[in-house]
Amino acid sequence: MKPNNQNTIRWGIIGVGNVTEVKSGPAFYKVPNSELVAVMRRDAEKAADYARRHGIARWYSNGSNLINDPEVDAVYIATPPDSHASYAIEAMRAGKSVYVEKPMARHYDECREMLEVSKQTGQALYVAYYRRTLPAFLKAKELIESGAIGKPLLVNIKLYKEATERNQKPEEMHWHVFPEIAGAGHFFDLASHQLDYLDFVFGKITEVKGAAVNQAGLYSAEDTVNGTWKHESGVVGNGSWCFVVDKSSTEDFIQIVGEKGEISLPCFSHGNLTLKTQSGMEEFYFENPEHISQNLVHQVVNELLGKGECVSTGESAARTSMVLDEMVKDYYKS
């Protein structure tokens, strides 16, 4: 949909924290036919500082005031997940399309409510799973679809990280480890990118099982997860995530195995994509855009202007949240 029949989408950002400094914020005023006209942060001084440094005309310390700004056509919500649903619903009911950070919300039930309001209001809803638009991930998808590894059979994910919380007091820890804010622990923040990308490549996940535990006792959220799943295409997957390993044990890869070879690539460390077949090994290296969300933001703007389609929607992102919930549900039963 094209807000106000304009040729430019005028954005407001709710939550101009660190993620918006380089990763995402500048994309909204650098993408063609896109303008960033207002920003919001509860700390008024920091909101004003962000607006000044980025050349933004207006700033707010209240989200509702930004949402109801008549000069704002669409809203980017970059707050922690506990306020994604409430801000998104308020914005859509105010007639504004929404682009929300990932994960889409704390839980699938909140995602469903957001989707229902999107349907009721006719306002578009997008989610910031930008790996669907990054060159290495698109190359992997292209290689799979061209038959480079034959019929895809299975996927393995490993993500093992050190615990920055090991020497921190609870009040010093990031919100990512507080389930009341994040939905779960680091697993929701990071595995969501990986599982959403696999949904993009192999279709929705139709079966999923998981086991989540807390091994280190540093915080209340799970710190270790193992999961298995099956895609509608028949590809099966296995993943293991641990966020309390020693530095020597850190891992980050997605391995896709087919009948005639395999593809592997890191999800977060921006290393080489490797293709192994009977012909040998081939490596591909790609540079990401300076503002890593920019390719996806470009797609969002184009779709809002009726010039294309965006690959990351509320519908696809909600599927990912459902899978995440399923993997940790037993841990949070009590």
Side-chain angles (χ1 to χ4, degrees):
M1 69 208 64
K2 184 188 293 187
N4 302 327
N5 295 315
Q6 298 179 137
N7 294 316
T8 299
I9 304 300
R10 301 169 300 178
W11 289 91
I13 300 180
I14 294 179
V16 282
N18 289 338
V19 72
T20 68
E21 288 289 352
V22 177
K23 281 186 173 183
S24 60
F28 291 89
Y29 55 79
K30 290 187 175 182
V31 162
N33 306 116
S34 181
E35 185 180 356
L36 181 55
V37 299
V39 296
M40 172 269 172
R41 188 166 178 170
R42 285 179 296 178
D43 185 318
E45 186 175 332
K46 290 181 178 179
D49 177 64
Y50 186 97
R52 178 185 54 78
R53 289 185 290 104
H54 289 268
I56 311 306
R58 295 185 300 288
W59 60 268
Y60 298 97
S61 59
N62 179 284
S64 295
N65 290 342
L66 180 141
I67 286 169
N68 291 297
D69 184 332
E71 298 298 312
V72 171
D73 301 317
V75 178
Y76 167 36
I77 299 166
T79 58
D82 62 335
S83 56
H84 285 184
S86 58
Y87 278 134
I89 288 168
E90 182 180 356
M92 288 186 287
R93 286 179 173 160
K96 313 294 171 82
S97 295
V98 170
Y99 174 86
V100 65
E101 265 304 328
K102 41 59 58 187
M104 181 173 168
R106 286 178 296 183
H107 302 294
Y108 180 60
D109 285 346
E110 291 181 337
C111 298
R112 289 176 61 188
E113 187 178 359
M114 294 161 74
L115 289 173
E116 182 60 30
V117 173
S118 175
K119 182 178 179 181
Q120 291 171 357
T121 61
Q123 295 301 321
L125 177 59
Y126 308 98
V127 181
Y129 284 119
Y130 52 77
R131 277 169 179 76
R132 290 177 175 237
T133 66
L134 293 181
F137 294 88
L138 290 175
K139 183 63 176 181
K141 188 172 188 289
E142 175 194 317
L143 289 168
I144 292 163
E145 292 174 348
S146 70
I149 60 170
K151 178 183 177 181
L153 303 172
L154 58 94
V155 178
N156 293 306
I157 292 175
K158 275 190 180 181
L159 183 63
Y160 302 159
K161 295 176 70 69
E162 291 182 273
T164 57
E165 301 84 7
R166 200 171 293 281
N167 298 310
Q168 293 180 338
K169 299 175 183 177
E171 60 269 23
E172 297 172 325
M173 294 180 186
H174 200 276
W175 58 258
H176 288 112
V177 298
F178 295 102
E180 64 272 20
I181 300 174
H186 290 295
F187 174 68
F188 270 26
D189 181 50
L190 298 174
S192 59
H193 271 300
Q194 299 163 314
L195 292 165
D196 179 83
Y197 173 67
L198 295 176
D199 175 284
F200 180 50
V201 176
F202 298 119
K204 68 181 180 181
I205 291 173
T206 56
E207 299 174 27
V208 57
K209 295 179 181 180
V213 296
N214 184 304
Q215 303 275 31
L218 301 176
Y219 41 76
S220 65
E222 81 297 334
D223 59 26
T224 304
V225 180
N226 191 80
T228 59
W229 63 89
K230 180 181 178 182
H231 293 269
E232 62 182 355
S233 59
V235 173
V236 295
N238 179 79
S240 58
W241 297 265
C242 187
F243 302 100
V244 291
V245 302
D246 182 73
K247 184 177 181 180
S248 62
S249 299
T250 56
E251 295 269 13
D252 172 18
F253 69 79
I254 300 173
Q255 178 194 40
I256 301 164
V257 180
E259 288 182 326
K260 297 180 180 179
E262 67 178 66
I263 294 166
S264 62
L265 72 164
C267 190
F268 301 101
S269 53
H270 308 303
N272 294 353
L273 182 156
T274 302
L275 171 65
K276 294 181 181 178
T277 65
Q278 287 185 343
S279 303
M281 185 173 78
E282 188 174 1
E283 287 192 299
F284 304 85
Y285 186 78
F286 301 90
E287 291 289 338
N288 287 326
E290 178 186 1
H291 311 295
I292 203 163
S293 298
Q294 188 159 333
N295 293 350
L296 183 58
V297 172
H298 199 174
Q299 285 192 3
V300 169
V301 169
N302 281 347
E303 181 168 311
L304 289 173
L305 292 172
K307 298 178 180 178
E309 293 185 3
C310 178
V311 294
S312 183
T313 66
E315 292 283 353
S316 61
R319 295 196 297 266
T320 295
S321 287
M322 182 168 59
V323 171
L324 295 170
D325 280 2
E326 190 67 22
M327 285 197 190
V328 302
K329 69 177 184 180
D330 289 342
Y331 183 79
Y332 288 100
K333 271 184 178 177
S334 56

